[in-house]
Amino acid sequence: MEMFKMNYLAATLVIFIVEILIALYVHDDFLRPWGGDVLVVVLLYCFVRGVTQSNVLSAALAVLVFACFIETLQYLQIVRILGLEGNAFARTIIGTTFSWSDIVAYTLGAVLVVGVEVVMSKRQAI
């Protein structure tokens, strides 16, 4: 088996660019908060699948747990605890505000990647 899966790594790069474009240019009440949070799970999933031998469910679950862990750190106000309120990079990457809707978006992202993988595997089996 190849060590790196280039199709997943290419998808990671494309989604990363889309995430940057959303962050820089989209300032609405739907795409930026919901689309960005769904896509971040897809981004991390593609990266994990690109650099590990994880299967679909393991990778999706690991990414979902990681995203929920970060959201929990936001609930605990980890940025404030670490004294990083003045660090824009830390505030952007870790986030500062807990939201149940983020957990829903992360879950939708995980369901999306599993669904796409199931459809793609059925297409390849034909």
Side-chain angles (χ1 to χ4, degrees), residues 85-99:
E85 304 96 333
N87 186 318
F89 183 74
R91 286 192 329 268
T92 301
I93 297 300
I94 299 170
T96 56
T97 307
F98 173 84
S99 172

Side-chain angles (χ1 to χ4, degrees), residues 37-59:
D37 286 345
V38 169
L39 277 180
V40 77
V41 169
V42 177
L43 168 76
L44 292 172
Y45 172 83
C46 288
F47 179 75
V48 168
R49 291 280 288 162
V51 299
T52 72
Q53 297 300 319
S54 298
N55 66 35
V56 171
L57 290 177
S58 297

Side-chain angles (χ1 to χ4, degrees), residues 28-81:
D28 67 352
D29 293 329
F30 181 77
L31 183 59
R32 183 171 182 151
W34 281 92
D37 286 345
V38 169
L39 277 180
V40 77
V41 169
V42 177
L43 168 76
L44 292 172
Y45 172 83
C46 288
F47 179 75
V48 168
R49 291 280 288 162
V51 299
T52 72
Q53 297 300 319
S54 298
N55 66 35
V56 171
L57 290 177
S58 297
L61 184 59
V63 168
L64 178 58
V65 167
F66 176 75
C68 291
F69 174 70
I70 297 298
E71 197 68 21
T72 302
L73 291 177
Q74 291 174 10
Y75 175 78
L76 298 172
Q77 299 183 7
I78 193 68
V79 170
R80 183 187 55 78
I81 290 169

